[in-house]
Amino acid sequence: MSIFDEVKRSISSTGKQVAKRTKEISDAVSIRSQINEEKENVAKLYATVGKKVFQNATEADEEKFFMEFTSIRSSLERKRELEERLTGMDGCIYCSECGARIDKNSKFCNKCGARVDKNKVAANEAMAEAEAHQMDGTKEEEQEAQYVVNEIENASADIIMDIVNH
């Protein structure tokens, strides 16, 4: 055999090995991608189930998930407050039925079709303007106040859990 035949056979063999390895890597990447898609689907389903449990909670659920429900309610309230502050700043309001962001001059919600209550819009604008004038505190003062509120909420939750468990 000539040296050229050996080089040709070696190159051919190496090419086949590279092609095989490339396919294996490609298949692994595809499977990892599918696994991540399934993880995302499961996370979305967990969120949906959790939301339904929260919305339809029984007294037993309230006791079982006290800390989580308290945190959810606190976050929802904070979200509502922030949306009210934003309303006065950007000319938008939030639908009282579905929470969608809509132009303050709209008569109906673009998402759910609910009628926009103009009296509520005016009240929200007045509240946002009043809040804007009250916001003279520094960022540090706001953070300190939020820290105190969180500590009080945590302490209250601990006390209630102690009462429930004893």
Side-chain angles (χ1 to χ4, degrees), residues 8-166:
K8 180 180 175 184
R9 191 168 24 96
S10 177
I11 290 173
S12 176
S13 174
T14 303
K16 287 178 184 176
Q17 289 174 356
V18 168
K20 181 181 175 188
R21 186 64 184 138
T22 301
K23 181 170 179 0
E24 290 171 354
I25 291 171
S26 175
D27 290 346
V29 168
S30 176
I31 291 170
R32 283 188 188 102
S33 175
Q34 292 173 18
I35 290 170
N36 285 334
E37 285 179 28
E38 292 305 320
K39 283 181 180 178
E40 289 175 13
N41 287 339
V42 169
K44 288 177 185 175
L45 292 169
Y46 279 152
T48 300
V49 169
K51 184 175 182 180
K52 287 180 180 179
V53 168
F54 176 74
Q55 291 173 336
N56 301 307
T58 63
E59 190 172 316
D61 293 331
E62 290 284 343
E63 290 175 12
K64 188 175 183 180
F65 301 109
F66 177 79
M67 294 297 291
E68 292 85 355
F69 283 9
T70 300
S71 294
I72 289 170
R73 287 186 182 100
S74 176
S75 291
L76 288 171
E77 178 61 22
R78 179 73 176 142
K79 177 182 168 274
R80 185 193 61 74
E81 291 169 357
L82 292 169
E83 287 173 344
E84 285 180 4
R85 284 178 50 193
L86 186 61
T87 296
M89 295 177 182
D90 68 359
C92 290
I93 58 171
Y94 294 86
C95 176
S96 59
E97 297 298 317
C98 71
R101 192 168 176 229
I102 54 179
D103 184 85
K104 69 178 179 181
N105 297 320
S106 295
K107 294 184 182 198
F108 297 94
C109 174
N110 296 333
K111 185 175 180 183
C112 73
R115 180 178 283 281
V116 175
D117 184 352
K118 293 298 179 184
N119 293 331
K120 192 178 275 186
V121 171
N124 285 343
E125 287 176 350
M127 187 183 317
E129 188 174 324
E131 284 180 358
H133 291 299
Q134 289 178 342
M135 306 205 55
D136 293 334
T138 66
K139 187 70 172 171
E140 291 80 20
E141 289 172 334
E142 288 180 27
Q143 289 174 341
E144 185 176 336
Q146 186 60 47
Y147 175 79
V148 170
V149 168
N150 290 342
E151 287 298 309
I152 291 170
E153 287 176 352
N154 289 338
S156 298
D158 289 343
I159 291 168
I160 291 172
M161 288 304 290
D162 285 345
I163 292 170
V164 169
N165 291 328
H166 289 94

